[in-house]
Structure formats: C-alpha cells, structure tokens
Amino acid sequence: MNLALVGDIGGTNARFALWRDEQLESVRVLATADYLGPEAAISAYLAELGLPLGAVESVCLACAGPVSGDLFRFTNNHWRISRAAFCETLQVRELLLVNDFSAMALGMTRLREDERRLVCPGEPEANRPCVVIGPGTGLGVGTLLESADGSWLALPGEGGHVDLPIGSPREAELWQQLYRQLDHVRAEDVLSGGGLLLLYRAICSLDGHAPRLQSPAEITAAALDGDAVALQVIEQFCCWLGRAAGNNVLSLGGRGGVYIVGGVVPRFAELFLASGFARCLRDKGVMSSYFDGIPVWLVTAEYPGLMGAGVALQQALGRG
C-alpha cells in the first residue's frame, strides 16, 4: 500500500495519522471548530508535515453515524463530506468512510498486551462475536467477528440508543428521576461523559443531597478523592455499563470477549475494576452462567479508532 491517511472524527476533535507499513505515523489531534470541513483540516495536517496535495493516495475516515451515498453529514459538528468533492480537492484516488465504532472494533485486532487490562478472566471462543462497547461523548457499541479467511468483519449498529436496563429497585427509582427529565431514557443518556452529570443530579435529587459538582470532570475528581456521593455515581455508572454490556453479549452470542473502550472509564480505571461491573454483567437470572469464561478487557490504547481505520483501509484494498 502506498502512503495513506486515516482519520477518526468526533464532535470536538479530529484525529489524523499517516498509515504506512501497517503502522500509524505523525498522529495529530485538531479541533473541528477550527476548520470549515475535513478538507481544510487535512490540508493543514499535510502542510504541517510538508506533504503536498496528492502525496496521499488513499484515505479512510471513521465517522460517527451511518455512512452511505455521496454526502455524509456529521452528527455532532458542522462538517460534511461529499466523496467526489473530497477526492477532487485533496487529489485522493480512494476514500473509504466507515462507522466510527466499526473502526473502533477493528482496532481491537491490533491491541498490544500493554494496551488492555483484564477485568474478567476467560478464554475467547473461536468464531464467536466480540462485543465492543464504550462510553465517550455518547455510547458506542460495535461487534467484531473473524471471517473464515482470517479477515475481520465489524458490524456497525446503534446499540447505545437502546433503553437503559433496570436491574434493581434502586435503579428503578433512579430511572424514574431520569424519566421525569428525559421522557425516554436511553443507555447513552447515562453511559457517557455527560451522563455522569445527569446521574449525579438524579442521585442528589433522590437522596436529598444539595448538588455542588458541575461537570463530569469534577465528579470523577471528587470520586478519586473519596467523596461519598461521587463514589455512588461512579459505582452506579459501572453497574449500568455492566448490564448494558451483558445484554449485548446475550443478544449477539458474544463469547469472543468484551472490550470496554472510550475515553470515560480509563479516567477512573481502579474504581471501575473494583466496582460491581462484573457482577451486573452476568446478573441475568437463569442465563447468568452463560458468562462463565467470557473474558472482558478495559482498553487503554491511545488511538484504537485510528488503528482500526487503517485495518479497514487495508482490508478494503485487499491487502490485509
């Protein structure tokens, strides 16, 4: 493969890298608000590296949302892409757009051992799906499956928008608090960065605490400092993440393993590892034993979405 470029584009930041010899090079993170569109951002990225337009023949961009047709509109920023105009402007021969969590799932195939932490021990079953789930700006859910020829298939979906699962009377009471605000309570409403603040306010309202924390970062910092209410928030967050992940395992037959990804959980990794996540993952009544032997990992890799975009591009071009 000649020199290629990969990107992982979110609502706030766009991450770009060169893809050469199956490795990432020259990773940069640009603020989407600073550029009119992806062409302008990529032009600035290439200029910083001293590369002219046309130096990159192939591009793969991981984008939040379903990708099809010529025009793609980003859901969380002002950017949009016309495939034809993009290739003409940047003198690119091939443009591949993939769902962001398809790229994230493919990134799991290139993890090093030091880029994941064991949450639940087990052995992945061959030829069975893996579940990839990650709280970030929203809640992403993807499915990874190895094909008979050794290539990888990543199935996109919108699993973050399923209903928030309720598994205890306490959770039912919290759900009622959330329902009064939202009218419909999705898993993503709680299992995301902003969801930490929503959950904190619901717990304060239910238990009669005066809310004093104003951001997800403050809640995380307070929990790490031992604040009792903030610790309850993190614990409930982890329990709900376990229930959501467990539902996906049952729905998909995900005995290939579970990967917890995204930017939220690693910020309180030790609290997560000591939480009720594993208990709630398998809290499925008569189906609880189904989870015996399914491994779960917390992913700490810095740029798994970019790595997955590279894997997607190699596979699309028939070289990986």
Side-chain angles (χ1 to χ4, degrees), residues 254-302:
R255 295 193 56 84
V258 179
Y259 294 88
I260 307 300
V261 300
V264 174
V265 176
R267 295 172 186 164
F268 47 82
E270 300 306 323
L271 294 176
F272 171 75
L273 293 172
S275 75
F277 168 87
R279 171 178 54 81
C280 292
L281 173 80
R282 59 180 294 128
D283 184 17
K284 303 299 180 188
V286 296
M287 290 302 295
S288 295
S289 61
Y290 185 84
F291 293 83
D292 293 347
I294 298 179
V296 181
W297 299 277
L298 172 62
V299 175
T300 58
E302 194 169 12

Side-chain angles (χ1 to χ4, degrees), residues 2-255:
N2 295 321
L3 187 63
L5 181 146
V6 293
D8 182 12
I9 302 173
T12 303
N13 294 314
R15 300 163 182 84
F16 297 111
L18 299 180
W19 179 256
R20 179 162 30 203
D21 298 327
E22 300 189 33
Q23 297 296 325
L24 300 174
E25 297 180 4
S26 305
V27 176
R28 300 288 188 275
V29 181
L30 306 181
T32 56
D34 293 344
Y35 300 91
L36 290 176
E39 294 92 342
I42 292 172
S43 294
Y45 170 77
L46 294 173
E48 181 186 345
L49 300 181
L51 294 173
L53 297 181
V56 171
E57 292 189 0
S58 305
V59 174
C60 178
L61 300 180
C63 311
V67 290
S68 62
D70 179 69
L71 184 63
F72 177 81
R73 298 178 185 274
F74 290 83
T75 55
N76 294 321
N77 64 46
H78 62 283
W79 287 8
R80 65 179 190 173
I81 290 178
S82 163
R83 295 173 190 260
F86 180 97
C87 291
E88 181 179 357
T89 299
L90 295 179
Q91 300 175 32
V92 169
R93 189 182 65 199
E94 295 162 308
L95 170 63
L96 176 66
L97 300 181
V98 297
N99 174 268
D100 60 336
F101 249 74
S102 292
M104 182 68 78
L106 289 171
M108 301 303 99
T109 69
R110 299 298 178 91
L111 287 180
R112 303 190 308 265
E113 282 303 314
D114 63 351
E115 292 179 322
R116 64 184 188 181
R117 299 183 65 178
L118 187 64
V119 181
C120 300
E123 289 295 329
E125 288 190 12
N127 304 315
R128 298 299 293 273
C130 302
V131 173
V132 184
I133 183 169
T137 303
L139 177 65
V141 180
T143 306
L144 180 67
L145 184 64
E146 187 172 9
S147 301
D149 62 1
S151 63
W152 292 92
L153 179 64
L155 304 178
E158 297 299 330
H161 296 280
V162 301
D163 297 337
L164 183 69
I166 300 171
S168 71
R170 169 72 170 178
E171 290 176 358
E173 292 176 332
L174 287 170
W175 181 89
Q176 289 180 318
Q177 293 287 331
L178 296 165
Y179 179 79
R180 292 188 188 104
Q181 298 178 57
L182 303 173
D183 195 39
H184 176 238
V185 187
R186 305 168 300 164
E188 179 175 279
D189 291 324
V190 169
L191 298 175
S192 58
L196 278 173
L197 185 58
L198 195 67
L199 181 55
Y200 169 73
R201 290 172 175 167
I203 286 176
C204 286
S205 179
L206 183 61
D207 295 341
H209 302 300
R212 59 179 185 83
L213 304 174
Q214 301 299 321
S215 70
E218 287 185 20
I219 294 166
T220 300
L224 294 173
D225 285 341
D227 179 86
V229 177
L231 283 170
Q232 286 184 56
V233 174
I234 298 299
E235 174 65 17
Q236 184 59 64
F237 182 97
C238 295
C239 287
W240 255 323
L241 181 58
R243 296 195 192 284
N247 284 350
N248 278 279
V249 168
L250 288 179
S251 296
L252 297 166
R255 295 193 56 84

